[in-house]
Amino acid sequence: ILKVSDKATSIIGQGVHVEDLSISPSAAINLYGITIKNPEGFAPGQLLRIRRLRLDMRLYKLLKGNLSFKNIILYSPEITLLNDDKGRLNISDGLMRFLSQKSTARYQVDEFRIDSGIFDFNGDERYRSDRINLRLGNLSSDPGIKTEINGAIVYAGNRIDINGWAYLKDIPKRVNFSLSSKDFVLSAFRKSLETYKIDTEKTRIDFVLHAKGDIEKGFHMTSNLKVKRAGFPLFSKEIKDLRLKTVAFLSLPDHSLVIHGSSLYVNNVPTAELKGVVTDLRENPSYRAEVKIDKLDISGLNFTKDVK
């Protein structure tokens, strides 16, 4: 255990500690209490903590020089990312190099699973996810292999379901996935939305987002967002159903979002359409748009002095 910990520490440049290790007769390896500590320059703490890591290996494949696993399971992994006053993350240069290296090893993993994971960034509830349960089926070093993706996370107190597939070793890598949530509550964004007088406790949102494309050109996206019990000061009348359907393309080379069409429905009545583009998403986002209003119930609007 000490040799494993010391070797890992020397490779990534951050302290690594493993509490215990066991090997079953079937060649399943269990590592317990894995910790990657914060690098120098950060307060004492940890970047990663894994309660248990299980590696269920096929020995006969290993004798032929191939890594083959029935499953790899991470139990209760917890990632805690931090920014220092210079904007650096608590990830050492050695760990960044290790993560960016392209492996030449041949491998096959029938199932890779994360059980009850946690992700935290600077202790900000807007970026915290917990109860992360994710499954990747059929991971391989060979191209042309379809990897299935499904699971769920709890983000800002709301459950988000994930489903899709990816060809991770193809050039370019192709991805097709959907995100969906029901009764999404905005409580975690209370401070950000209070300027707009939005009732974050009252408002509920259902949404479905589907994206398909590759990591070189970008993704064709469709979304369907439904706001229930809209707690917005813009509306004086109760809005039972506010829906926004959008078709767009996210271009990764030039960091832009092209909105081919976005349709707004108020109480199932087509109200407005929008087309446009958002450019320079990474540095200084700017937009241009064309809005067409079909029908708008002016009596339903609430013109008050405190609306910004």
Side-chain angles (χ1 to χ4, degrees):
I1 294 174
L2 289 176
K3 287 182 178 180
V4 170
S5 299
D6 291 343
K7 182 65 175 178
T9 298
S10 66
I11 291 175
I12 70 173
Q14 289 181 238
V16 178
H17 177 67
V18 180
E19 293 178 0
D20 204 355
L21 179 150
S22 68
I23 302 176
S24 71
S26 62
I29 301 172
N30 288 278
L31 300 172
Y32 301 90
I34 304 170
T35 302
I36 299 179
K37 300 178 182 179
N38 285 340
E40 292 184 7
F42 285 84
Q46 60 195 33
L47 167 66
L48 175 66
R49 167 79 178 178
I50 303 175
R51 181 170 63 85
R52 176 161 70 109
L53 170 61
R54 177 181 173 85
L55 306 168
D56 198 347
M57 186 181 298
R58 294 184 177 92
L59 277 180
Y60 69 93
K61 291 281 188 177
L62 183 62
L63 296 175
K64 297 180 180 180
N66 296 327
L67 294 172
S68 181
F69 298 89
K70 297 177 183 177
N71 55 59
I72 298 176
I73 307 174
L74 279 66
Y75 295 94
S76 302
E78 182 173 353
I79 297 177
T80 305
L81 285 180
L82 298 172
N83 266 130
D84 65 8
D85 53 3
K86 297 180 180 179
R88 297 176 302 180
L89 291 172
N90 56 335
I91 302 176
S92 67
D93 293 338
L95 180 54
M96 289 295 291
R97 286 193 298 269
F98 177 77
L99 294 175
S100 61
Q101 287 177 352
K102 292 185 178 180
S103 174
T104 57
R106 296 195 62 189
Y107 61 86
Q108 169 66 36
V109 182
D110 295 352
E111 178 188 59
F112 175 85
R113 203 168 81 224
I114 296 175
D115 281 1
S116 300
I118 295 175
F119 174 83
D120 186 87
F121 182 65
N122 282 337
D124 192 330
E125 64 175 344
R126 293 174 300 173
Y127 306 113
R128 179 181 173 86
S129 298
D130 52 27
R131 282 175 275 173
I132 300 172
N133 293 286
L134 188 64
R135 178 188 178 275
L136 303 181
N138 200 18
L139 281 168
S140 175
S141 58
D142 297 327
I145 302 298
K146 183 179 182 180
T147 299
E148 297 177 352
I149 306 169
N150 56 73
I153 67 172
V154 174
Y155 168 64
N158 301 281
R159 177 188 169 100
I160 299 176
D161 292 304
I162 305 169
N163 288 284
W165 51 258
Y167 287 85
L168 298 174
K169 291 300 177 179
D170 283 16
I171 301 176
K173 296 179 177 64
R174 293 179 288 150
V175 180
N176 185 329
F177 70 92
S178 296
L179 303 176
S180 61
S181 182
K182 290 186 176 181
D183 289 327
F184 194 98
V185 183
L186 301 173
S187 302
F189 310 95
R190 187 182 303 107
K191 291 182 179 180
S192 303
L193 297 176
E194 64 183 5
T195 303
Y196 307 100
K197 309 298 182 183
I198 294 176
D199 188 341
T200 56
E201 300 299 329
K202 177 182 178 180
T203 305
R204 296 290 186 273
I205 296 175
D206 295 348
F207 72 83
V208 177
L209 170 67
H210 180 252
K212 182 178 182 181
D214 62 67
I215 64 170
E216 289 188 5
K217 295 179 181 178
F219 296 92
H220 295 277
M221 301 190 300
T222 59
S223 68
N224 193 343
L225 184 146
K226 179 180 180 181
V227 180
K228 301 178 292 185
R229 293 185 291 163
F232 305 157
L234 182 62
F235 300 104
S236 60
K237 292 183 176 180
E238 181 181 0
I239 301 298
K240 297 181 180 179
D241 184 16
L242 184 69
R243 286 183 295 145
L244 184 67
K245 295 182 177 181
T246 303
V247 178
F249 179 75
L250 176 64
S251 175
L252 297 181
D254 57 9
H255 311 292
S256 66
L257 177 67
V258 179
I259 301 174
H260 298 299
S262 187
S263 301
L264 176 66
Y265 297 79
V266 179
N267 291 338
N268 292 320
V269 177
T271 300
E273 295 182 0
L274 179 145
K275 295 181 180 180
V277 61
V278 183
T279 58
D280 199 7
L281 288 169
R282 293 185 62 182
E283 301 293 336
N284 186 27
S286 60
Y287 70 91
R288 62 180 183 272
E290 174 187 330
V291 180
K292 175 186 176 184
I293 298 176
D294 293 323
K295 291 182 179 180
L296 186 61
D297 184 359
I298 300 298
S299 66
L301 295 178
N302 181 26
F303 294 100
T304 57
K305 294 181 180 180
D306 60 349
V307 172
K308 296 184 179 179

